[in-house]
Amino acid sequence: MMSLKNMVRGLKDDSTAKQLIQFWEYDAKTLKFWRASSNFIYMFERNGDRYFLRFIHEEDNSIENIQAELDFLLYLIAEGYPAAAPVPSKSGKWIETIHTVEDGCYYGVVFEQAKGIHLPLDQMTDRHVVQWGMSLASLHILSERYPSRANSRGSWNDALSFISSVLQRHPGEHGARKELEQLRIQLSALPTDAKHMGIIHYDFETDNIFYEAEKSRYHVIDFDDAMIHWYAMDIASAISDLVPQEDDHAKRKIKHFLTGYQSVKPLEERYVHLLPVFHKFADLYTMARLLRSVEDVDLTGSPEWADRLKHKLLGVCERIGERCHPSVELKPVDENNWYECTELEVTDEQKNVFPVPVVYWLAESAYCGFTPLAVYTGEQLIGFAVYAVDPDDGSYWIMAYMIDHKFQHKGLGRSGMKELVRYIHDKHGCDKIVLGHRAENERASHLYASLGFEEVSREGIEIIRELTLS
């Protein structure tokens, strides 16, 4: 994921793409924006055939890294592996560079369109899945023979160092750092010979493969994330969308994928058992890249989509952080922790949607019969909640819920709300929990909706939601 700052800057107009495309032959008026994520992607035509221009800001990738990617890709193609080929510019270069006064340097590359069609996972037959596994194994066999393996792309170790550097800038990520330490130990114990490790694609999911029915094979795109890693990492990444489903259909697809892979390249059973370890690597690497992409981003004056994307990316980080963090615990507010609770604060921007300080809720709880609770992870106080029973209908209301600004974007908010729901349900046996939040509090809206709280009414500036419990 590129820096959100650079994404906003690069999408303000098409000027960068228009400058870069001049280095290649193209049909006039065919350049169109396609998408932006790890790179900016534009499509265009030349003599009626479709091509793709990919470019990136110098802060998000280096020309050396891009060249190493292309070197590996050209090697694969020379060995007969079906992949979308890069296209040299009019001057014979694989990479062209432009320098802008305001934005700095951009690196551009052009690729042919991959042959074949995209097959969504739910449309793949068992045979398609077997061939998917075979395609990945064939790539790994060629990677074993790649002569420049030692000094080409970055490695798993470089990725772990990057993750560590990002997490150091987020001191509240205790769980993620512990996961990282454990992961480094687990990976360091594995063999690093060419039989087990080489340059992998890293993103061999169905979005990046296209099926050519005439030759019963897949054509591969997007080697941008390629790195030196264990081949099992590529397997874990490829089937990552299937693993969480845990149903018989998904398990059958995983089995067929592994069958196809093993029909081409041996796979030791211990690496099958280690797939959860590689999924952990993918989680932490994704988390670090997303956190880095939104760091120090001032979205003042930016389009609305940028703010929505920022919250979406932070939401992904929260869900990953939730899997890393120790369990959240609720404790009574008493003489030992009430003052510490009063020092909890939301961010400045959240004070518009959570304007009442904790000390007010403590006072109201004392005189109105509300129940205040302190939210902990381990011995660390991280948040505060208040609930009450409506004397008119007996329904239970969550009156206030907040996570201190120092512990946000780590999955703790979701974990704490789940624990609060469980606590109220177990203690009172209620079948419904109600809460309200300001309409403009989009983060709260997404969180509550994702946990099953359905909107039932709007009262002035507040949205009322209910969660029905079995």
Side-chain angles (χ1 to χ4, degrees):
M1 182 70 190
M2 73 177 75
S3 163
L4 185 55
K5 171 192 68 178
N6 289 332
M7 182 179 291
V8 172
R9 188 165 55 184
L11 292 178
K12 62 185 177 182
D13 54 42
D14 297 328
S15 60
T16 303
K18 290 177 178 178
Q19 291 180 65
L20 281 166
I21 197 61
Q22 301 302 319
F23 290 104
W24 281 268
E25 299 286 353
Y26 71 103
D27 298 341
K29 299 182 179 179
T30 61
L31 183 68
K32 295 180 181 179
F33 173 74
W34 185 252
R35 62 180 174 85
S37 179
S38 296
N39 297 272
F40 299 99
I41 307 291
Y42 282 71
M43 63 180 181
F44 67 94
E45 293 183 3
R46 186 177 74 185
N47 299 326
D49 294 325
R50 180 174 291 180
Y51 295 83
F52 291 89
L53 168 67
R54 189 191 85 186
F55 61 92
I56 191 68
H57 192 269
E58 61 183 334
E59 292 178 356
D60 294 312
N61 207 347
S62 68
I63 194 168
E64 294 80 12
N65 203 41
I66 298 171
Q67 187 61 58
E69 170 201 349
L70 298 181
D71 289 344
F72 181 61
L73 179 55
L74 290 168
Y75 159 77
L76 293 176
I77 294 171
E79 293 293 322
Y81 190 77
V87 178
S89 67
K90 289 184 284 189
S91 62
K93 295 180 181 179
W94 296 114
I95 307 171
E96 290 288 358
T97 304
I98 62 167
H99 301 271
T100 64
V101 176
E102 292 184 358
D103 298 343
C105 183
Y106 289 90
Y107 306 120
V109 183
V110 165
F111 295 92
E112 295 177 350
Q113 183 178 26
K115 295 180 181 179
I117 62 170
H118 172 242
L119 281 178
L121 195 55
D122 59 359
Q123 294 181 21
M124 280 187 168
T125 65
D126 290 346
R127 181 57 185 161
H128 289 144
V129 177
V130 168
Q131 291 170 330
W132 178 23
M134 293 170 65
S135 179
L136 183 58
S138 298
L139 189 157
H140 291 167
I141 286 177
L142 291 173
S143 183
E144 282 187 41
R145 306 171 188 161
Y146 186 48
S148 303
R149 171 180 176 269
N151 57 359
S152 46
R153 294 283 288 188
S155 72
W156 63 278
N157 211 12
D158 297 324
L160 293 187
S161 296
F162 165 73
I163 296 169
S164 178
S165 67
V166 173
L167 293 182
Q168 286 175 8
R169 301 194 293 270
H170 296 266
E173 292 292 354
H174 306 294
R177 284 203 298 274
K178 288 182 179 179
E179 291 274 16
L180 179 62
E181 293 171 7
Q182 182 182 9
L183 182 63
R184 190 185 295 276
I185 293 171
Q186 290 172 310
L187 294 181
S188 298
L190 299 178
T192 58
D193 57 287
K195 178 182 176 182
H196 299 93
M197 172 184 280
I199 296 183
I200 66 168
H201 185 281
Y202 191 77
D203 195 14
F204 207 81
E205 298 184 32
T206 55
D207 287 347
N208 291 324
I209 57 176
F210 294 80
Y211 189 66
E212 185 184 14
E214 294 80 5
K215 296 186 178 180
S216 299
R217 65 178 184 175
Y218 287 99
H219 289 256
V220 185
I221 66 169
D222 197 4
F223 284 77
D224 181 53
D225 288 324
M227 69 173 77
I228 298 175
H229 214 306
W230 285 269
Y231 298 125
M233 179 71 247
D234 239 358
I235 297 172
S237 177
I239 63 175
S240 59
D241 287 340
L242 290 168
V243 171
Q245 298 179 30
E246 296 184 344
D247 56 39
D248 291 340
H249 183 68
K251 290 177 181 177
R252 189 180 77 247
K253 274 186 163 55
I254 293 174
K255 180 180 178 181
H256 285 307
F257 181 92
L258 295 176
T259 297
Y261 186 96
Q262 291 169 312
S263 70
V264 175
K265 188 180 189 302
L267 177 63
E268 297 173 27
E269 189 65 23
R270 68 164 168 166
Y271 284 98
V272 176
H273 294 303
L274 283 171
L275 291 181
V277 174
F278 293 110
H279 284 131
K280 185 189 302 181
F281 176 97
D283 264 358
L284 292 175
Y285 191 41
T286 296
M287 182 182 192
R289 291 199 290 181
L290 295 185
L291 286 174
R292 178 257 173 193
S293 73
V294 298
E295 284 178 337
D296 303 321
V297 176
D298 181 5
L299 295 179
T300 304
S302 297
E304 186 178 339
W305 64 260
D307 190 59
R308 290 198 304 268
L309 179 58
K310 178 181 178 180
H311 288 305
K312 179 180 178 181
L313 299 180
L314 289 173
V316 174
C317 292
E318 286 182 2
R319 289 190 288 275
I320 294 174
E322 183 180 357
R323 296 196 286 269
C324 296
H325 272 280
S327 59
V328 170
E329 183 181 5
L330 301 177
K331 298 181 181 180
V333 177
D334 56 25
E335 68 276 9
N336 297 313
N337 62 5
W338 73 269
Y339 182 76
E340 191 179 2
C341 286
T342 66
E343 296 185 308
L344 295 168
E345 286 189 331
V346 294
T347 64
D348 289 339
E349 64 180 13
Q350 289 172 326
K351 289 178 181 178
N352 291 327
V353 293
F354 192 90
V356 181
V358 170
V359 67
Y360 169 88
W361 287 110
L362 289 176
E364 188 165 18
S365 297
Y367 291 103
C368 299
F370 297 172
T371 302
L373 293 168
V375 185
Y376 284 83
T377 178
E379 297 300 316
Q380 178 69 60
L381 175 68
I382 62 167
F384 178 79
V386 177
Y387 76 91
V389 61
D390 187 331
D392 294 330
D393 62 9
S395 59
Y396 282 82
W397 280 73
I398 296 175
M399 308 297 295
Y401 178 72
M402 60 91 75
I403 298 295
D404 185 81
H405 67 97
K406 297 189 296 296
F407 301 96
Q408 294 182 13
H409 311 309
K410 310 177 192 315
L412 294 168
R414 175 178 294 270
S415 297
M417 180 55 69
K418 285 182 177 180
E419 181 61 18
L420 180 58
V421 168
R422 187 201 64 77
Y423 181 96
I424 297 172
H425 178 59
D426 289 353
K427 190 174 184 65
H428 303 283
C430 56
D431 57 7
K432 181 176 67 175
I433 296 177
V434 189
L435 56 76
H437 65 84
R438 298 286 183 93
E440 64 269 29
N441 192 349
E442 293 185 0
R443 286 185 57 199
S445 178
H446 293 318
L447 171 62
Y448 299 145
S450 70
L451 293 174
F453 284 89
E454 297 183 357
E455 180 179 337
V456 292
S457 66
R458 296 198 176 211
E459 299 179 4
I461 62 174
E462 192 170 42
I463 296 175
I464 306 302
R465 294 180 179 273
E466 291 183 356
L467 175 66
T468 301
L469 303 169
S470 57

